[in-house]
DNA sequence: ACGCGTAATAC
DNA sequence: GTATTACG
């Protein structure tokens, strides 16, 4: 079968080239001149008006023809007649000097989007789906939905139309996913110390190209250089080592290799490897046709002429991928080393020497590992990442190259646009949504925010046994669905709907029509919660289970961002009343549930956004609560966690508990935060672990003794300067470039500046790793600045008192809650006395 | 180019 | 009180 991977446009004539993956031959099949893609522009002028008022349109070199079409204008709830101006490219500038859209500026719809996939098509095609080619047309291969999945869907909704829509989505998700033949490559170039090689200039020799493929070809192409790099008789496991005397030959071999694979995977290939290879090849005298890469400086990214390229750097730095698919395992880390270490448990080869100084053996090892890791990132867990990409292509309708390079808002945008075209709806202009639907009405608590968000219920401080946490399964998608929220249904034009108010807002919701966003988000949510999650639990075979898990996590990525985008001005369907109504319904749901719990006599200890902590509820009362929420709010509430005990302080988002399975849950406490010095984090964890082991009063007393010992020991080590600078360092991320900190000078900025100054003095250059996004490590010192970069500080400069203070406040978050005083625990009157005594000495 | 709420610390 | 960071 052929799987649609990519859609590209040949110049400005509007015809598309489709790139399919043939899963039998394992190669890319190109279909040029795809006629189904005729971009056009819609206008509210009649054909006669166009001919009369804008004769240039008809004379435009790209102009094709005029047609009349019926379109649904959802904002005003009416079908209207529009004129379709068919042109090779209505956005591009033709011989007349102006694009057709430019000419019809005030009367044009739907072509305001620069992005090339946002034209409207006569026949829509779905990236990632299986096709066969018949009579010059790609036809989607109808695949059946597994019986188990179909049963789950049909058992879910009575409405036949809704069930049919859900089955359509289930078809997308259930269609087979091909095994993809692919190769990962990584290049190394010979550059001088501290100079970052420029892919634009490509001045340095390409000295190594490593490759690692799905069909077992792996190796390193090396360039023979001076003798100091060692003997060429080197070996590297089962990797094949090939030496080239001539750099041109090396590039030729590399290009041949790339051409043999339908999919190329790199890490940062968009900004480095591919443009570098391209420009270097030109420099060495290759003709453009001899290079499989096409690259122009103003291109968004380099393209492979006959195959597909994915840059994993772009894909793995995508926020939604990090947070939702991988549980935020690798946080701010952007490097191959960090990502691979987190996901594969294996990092890059460490090296002290410069790449250009390495021996052949070292260079091969270093470079090969990069290619290996890059490949492994697509292959671990049975090709999990490839499967996710294909599924998300189907949900978003974005081609592989675009999906992996754009953020979630583009995915969701494209998904909704597709749906508009499918239904014959006009895609509204952002200004029109804003003008008709208006702004937010609630006031945000945080300065600078646009509207009111979630609520956090004040915790009841103390220690509680048998605590049960209930939560709403994807609360925001649920209320979008049950509240029928969508840009066209919120503040709809109908008089009778104005009584259907969203609690806590002046907004109302349509009672006549089902909202598009509500419908789609609702379907995705139900498929995830009731169908694929359930199926994953029920099926016997490990393979099937894993497959359903991939599907449900792909859905999760979309669901988690489905509310946020409506509150983002950058999103073209931005609709403040929708975003505001979503959080309002969320607040309504949690507060109503809390009241119900209290009415049933269940004490509510705490709650945040979509969860409630219930104190020792009886089975009976719990059942009643869950049922009444389902009946009244039509949202599922279910048991999320069970704690043996939980400790709350007076602070919100701060608690500590022991789960029934013995696992310890620490939330929000400073001792857990990434920026906290290792030494304090370690002490904190030790204290928590010790205390958590106790479940009776006597063992608790023993635990406290142990804690005392631990803390005293730490204080002694601190005072005796026995703790290394590394252990004492705060690690804080620079979220801006240094020059951008204008309001204040935070400590991490100070430390970064110190280091830069020092480097300038010593080497005349500055380290490359101090910029936006890098982590600055500093310790607190007794000097005037109070802070020193960890690389510049000496152990005897440490401000011991400051650290004792930090130790105290950190541990107090736990000890306070347990009714233990830090100072009493240590048998001193107070920490302040202690500090005073010390400073007098 | 997804959202808001809370805590802690430095300035 | 504001800025900054981290996290829920």
């Amino acid at each position: 079968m052929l799987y649609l991977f990519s859609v590209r446009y040949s110049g400005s004539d509007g015809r598309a080239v489709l790139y399919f993956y043939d899963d039998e031959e394992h190669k890319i099949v190109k279909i040029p001149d795809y006629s189904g893609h005729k971009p056009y522009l819609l206008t509210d002028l009649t054909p006669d008006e166009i001919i009369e008022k804008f004769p240039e349109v008809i004379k435009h070199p790209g102009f094709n023809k005029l047609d009349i079409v019926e379109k649904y204008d959802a904002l005003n709830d009416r079908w209207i007649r529009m004129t379709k101006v068919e042109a090779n490219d209505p956005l591009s500038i033709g011989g007349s000097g102006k694009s057709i859209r430019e000419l019809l500026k005030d009367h044009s719809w739907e072509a305001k989007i620069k992005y090339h996939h946002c034209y409207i098509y006569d026949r829509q095609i779905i990236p990632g789906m299986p096709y066969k080619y018949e009579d010059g047309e790609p036809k989607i291969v109808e695949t059946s939905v597994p019986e188990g999945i179909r049963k789950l869907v049909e058992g879910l909704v009575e409405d036949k139309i809704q069930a049919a829509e859900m089955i359509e989505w289930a078809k997308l998700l259930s269609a087979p996913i091909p095994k993809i033949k692919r190769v990962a490559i990584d290049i190394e170039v010979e550059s001088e110390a501290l100079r970052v090689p420029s892919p634009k200039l490509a001045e340095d020799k390409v000295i190594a190209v490593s490759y690692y493929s799905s069909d077992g070809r792996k190796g390193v192409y090396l360039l023979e250089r001076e003798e100091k790099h060692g003997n060429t008789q080197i070996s590297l496991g089962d990797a094949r080592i090939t030496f080239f005397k001539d750099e041109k030959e090396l590039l030729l071999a590399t290009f041949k290799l790339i051409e043999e694979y339908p999919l190329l995977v790199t890490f940062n290939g968009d900004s480095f490897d591919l443009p570098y290879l391209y420009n270097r090849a030109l420099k060495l005298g290759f003709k453009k046709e001899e290079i499989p890469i096409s690259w122009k400086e103003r291109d968004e990214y380099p393209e492979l002429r006959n195959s597909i390229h994915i840059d994993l750097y772009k894909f793995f730095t995508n926020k939604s991928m990090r947070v939702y698919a991988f549980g935020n395992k690798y946080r701010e880390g952007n490097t191959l080393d960090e990502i691979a270490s987190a996901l594969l448990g294996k990092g890059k080869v460490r090296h002290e020497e410069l790449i250009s100084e390495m021996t052949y053996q070292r260079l091969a090892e270093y470079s090969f590992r990069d290619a290996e890791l890059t490949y492994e990132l697509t292959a671990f867990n049975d090709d999990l990442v490839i499967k996710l990409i294909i599924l998300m292509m189907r949900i978003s309708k974005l081609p592989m190259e675009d999906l992996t390079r754009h953020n979630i808002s583009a995915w969701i945008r494209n998904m909704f646009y597709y749906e508009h075209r499918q239904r014959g709806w006009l895609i509204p202009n952002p200004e029109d949504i804003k003008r008709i639907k208006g702004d937010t009405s609630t006031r945000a608590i945080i300065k600078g925010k646009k509207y009111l968000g979630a609520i956090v219920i004040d915790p009841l401080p103390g220690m509680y046994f048998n605590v049960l946490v209930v939560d709403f399964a994807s609360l925001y998608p649920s209320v979008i669905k049950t509240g029928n929220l969508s840009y066209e249904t919120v503040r709809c034009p109908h008089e009778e709907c104005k009584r259907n108010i969203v609690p806590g807002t002046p907004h109302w919701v349509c009672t006549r029509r089902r909202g598009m966003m509500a419908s789609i988000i609702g379907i995705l949510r139900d498929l995830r919660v009731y169908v694929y999650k359930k199926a994953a639990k029920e099926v016997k075979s490990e393979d099937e289970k894993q497959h359903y898990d991939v599907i449900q996590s792909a859905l999760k990525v979309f669901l988690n961002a489905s509310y946020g985008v409506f509150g983002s001005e950058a999103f073209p369907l931005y609709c403040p009343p929708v975003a505001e109504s979503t959080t309002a319904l969320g607040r309504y749901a949690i507060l109503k549930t809390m009241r119900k719990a209290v009415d049933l006599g269940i004490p509510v200890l705490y709650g945040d956004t979509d969860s409630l902590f219930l104190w020792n509820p009886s089975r009976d009362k719990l059942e009643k609560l869950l049922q009444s929420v389902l009946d009244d709010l039509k949202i599922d509430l279910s048991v999320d966690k069970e704690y043996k005990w939980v400790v709350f302080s007076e602070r919100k988002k701060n608690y500590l508990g022991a789960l029934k399975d013995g696992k310890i849950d620490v939330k929000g406490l400073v001792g857990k935060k990434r920026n906290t010095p290792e030494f304090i984090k370690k002490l904190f964890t030790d204290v928590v672990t010790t205390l958590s082991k106790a479940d009776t009063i006597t063992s608790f007393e023993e635990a406290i003794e142990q804690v005392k010992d631990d803390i005293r020991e730490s204080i002694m080590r601190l005072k005796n300067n026995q703790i290394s600078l590394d252990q004492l360092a705060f690690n804080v991320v620079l979220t801006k470039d240094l020059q951008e900190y204008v309001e204040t000078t935070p400590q991490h900025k100070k430390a970064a500046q110190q280091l830069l100054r020092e480097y300038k003095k010593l080497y005349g250059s500055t380290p490359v790793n101090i910029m936006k996004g890098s982590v600055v490590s500093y310790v607190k010192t007794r000097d005037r600045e109070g802070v020193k970069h960890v690389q510049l500080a000496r152990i005897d400069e440490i401000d011991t008192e400051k650290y004792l203070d930090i130790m105290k406040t950190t541990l107090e978050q736990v000890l306070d809650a347990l009714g233990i005083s830090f100072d009493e625990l240590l048998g001193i009157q107070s920490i302040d006395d202690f500090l005073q005594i010390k400073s007098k000495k």
Side-chain angles (χ1 to χ4, degrees), chain A residues 185 187 206 251 254-255 273-281 293:
Chain A
I185 67 160
I187 72 168
V206 174
L251 291 195
T254 305
F255 293 157
D273 303 47
L274 294 198
Y276 200 97
L277 285 175
Y278 178 82
N279 286 325
R280 187 70 191 164
I293 303 160

Side-chain angles (χ1 to χ4, degrees), chain A residues 469-640:
Chain A
V469 184
V470 288
D471 78 347
F472 296 106
S474 42
L475 177 65
Y476 287 158
S478 300
V479 299
I480 288 174
K481 170 192 159 192
T482 58
N484 196 28
L485 303 182
S486 193
Y487 75 85
E488 79 280 16
T489 47
V490 172
R491 303 182 76 90
C492 64
H494 319 120
E495 251 339 288
E496 82 268 22
C497 301
K498 293 187 176 160
R499 291 190 302 269
N500 187 26
I501 292 288
V502 178
T505 72
H507 309 311
W508 65 91
V509 182
C510 190
T511 55
R512 279 202 210 163
R513 297 185 182 280
R514 181 107 187 95
M516 183 193 278
M517 316 298 135
S519 159
I520 296 169
I521 294 167
I523 287 172
L524 297 185
R525 191 211 89 108
D526 289 351
L527 278 176
R528 170 163 192 258
V529 178
Y530 300 129
V531 179
Y532 288 103
K533 270 190 135 180
K534 215 165 161 191
K537 256 193 215 144
E538 285 171 4
V539 291
K540 304 239 160 48
S541 95
E542 243 343 278
D543 279 0
E544 264 185 290
K545 183 180 152 45
Q546 203 201 23
H547 180 62
Y548 291 141
D549 263 332
V550 183
I551 295 178
Q552 72 87 9
S553 49
L555 289 169
K556 185 182 178 185
V557 172
F558 283 79
L559 289 170
N560 274 323
S562 62
Y563 138 74
V565 291
F566 288 105
S568 162
E569 277 149 87
F571 187 61
L573 299 173
Y574 172 55
C575 186
V578 168
E580 190 174 38
S581 299
T582 308
T583 56
L585 286 177
R587 292 192 296 274
Y588 179 76
I590 194 173
L591 287 176
K592 184 143 183 180
T593 306
M594 184 165 109
R595 267 202 301 280
K596 185 72 196 180
V598 172
D599 287 349
L600 285 166
I602 310 173
V604 175
L605 301 170
Y606 176 64
D608 184 347
T609 313
D610 59 358
S611 66
L612 289 172
F613 287 62
L614 309 176
W615 190 16
N616 204 8
S618 67
R619 276 288 136 204
D620 177 44
K621 284 181 180 172
L622 179 68
E623 276 311 314
K624 275 196 184 131
L625 179 69
L626 301 187
Q627 195 55 50
S628 87
V629 169
L630 193 57
D631 292 343
D632 299 350
L633 297 167
K634 311 273 182 280
I635 311 176
D636 313 78
L637 184 69
S638 56
V639 175
D640 179 32

Side-chain angles (χ1 to χ4, degrees), chain A residues 191-196 354 356-357 765:
Chain A
S191 68
E192 296 155 33
L194 287 168
R195 189 164 56 79
V196 190
L354 289 168
S356 49
E357 300 291 319
S765 64

Side-chain angles (χ1 to χ4, degrees), chain A residues 1-8 17-22 28-29 31 34 37 124-132 138 140 178 308 390 393-394 397-400:
Chain A
M1 273 187 298
L2 299 173
Y3 289 83
L4 179 61
F5 270 15
S6 179
V7 182
R8 293 188 204 158
V17 182
L18 305 184
Y19 285 61
F20 288 96
Y21 179 72
D22 180 336
I28 291 290
V29 176
I31 311 279
Y34 176 57
H37 282 60
Q124 300 209 53
I125 43 181
I126 304 176
M129 286 300 275
Y131 281 81
K132 57 179 184 249
I140 207 155
I308 312 287
I390 301 264
M393 283 162 65
R394 293 177 187 167
K397 279 82 181 174
L398 279 172
M400 186 178 277

Side-chain angles (χ1 to χ4, degrees), chain A residues 61-80:
Chain A
F63 174 77
N64 200 345
K65 61 174 180 166
L66 298 176
D67 262 329
I68 291 175
V69 289
E70 293 275 324
K71 286 280 164 184
Y72 178 64
D73 166 14
L75 281 175
N76 299 299
D77 188 18
R78 57 175 187 185
W79 283 84
I80 49 173

Side-chain angles (χ1 to χ4, degrees), chain A residues 706-720:
Chain A
Q706 171 74 49
V707 167
K708 276 189 204 172
D709 286 347
D710 287 352
I711 297 177
R712 284 200 195 108
E713 200 212 313
S714 288
I715 293 179
M716 283 320 288
R717 286 177 52 215
L718 183 67
K719 290 194 335 200
N720 295 337

Side-chain angles (χ1 to χ4, degrees), chain A residues 687-794:
Chain A
V687 168
V688 168
T689 319
T690 309
L691 292 175
S692 68
K693 281 188 190 133
D695 36 19
T696 64
I697 297 290
T698 35
S699 56
F700 197 70
E701 312 243 294
E702 285 165 28
I704 289 182
E705 281 309 312
Q706 171 74 49
V707 167
K708 276 189 204 172
D709 286 347
D710 287 352
I711 297 177
R712 284 200 195 108
E713 200 212 313
S714 288
I715 293 179
M716 283 320 288
R717 286 177 52 215
L718 183 67
K719 290 194 335 200
N720 295 337
N721 291 343
Q722 283 169 320
I723 295 161
S724 73
L725 286 170
D726 272 356
Q727 294 278 303
L728 291 168
F730 289 82
N731 306 291
V732 179
V733 171
L734 285 171
T735 56
K736 302 187 266 195
D737 277 319
L738 281 183
Q739 319 82 276
E740 293 174 69
Y741 288 92
V742 279
E743 306 287 347
T744 54
T745 310
Q747 293 193 317
H748 59 298
K749 183 196 173 180
K750 264 189 210 162
Q753 282 174 320
Q754 292 170 356
L755 193 66
L756 286 176
R757 262 204 308 276
E758 204 57 28
Y759 261 80
K760 260 236 163 76
K761 223 162 64 192
L762 288 173
Y763 309 107
S765 64
T766 55
V768 277
N769 59 351
I770 296 192
M771 50 181 158
K772 191 193 269 191
S774 50
V775 178
V776 180
S777 299
Y778 63 87
V779 291
K780 306 227 179 209
T781 51
R782 286 191 314 269
D783 56 16
R784 200 162 39 80
E785 285 208 278
V787 52
K788 252 193 185 167
H789 195 281
V790 72
Q791 292 181 28
L792 308 173
R794 286 193 322 269

Side-chain angles (χ1 to χ4, degrees), chain A residues 810-825:
Chain A
T810 307
L811 291 177
E812 267 180 341
Q813 289 193 349
V814 184
L815 302 178
D816 258 8
L818 294 166
I820 311 164
S821 147
F822 181 83
D823 305 336
E824 279 172 31
L825 189 71

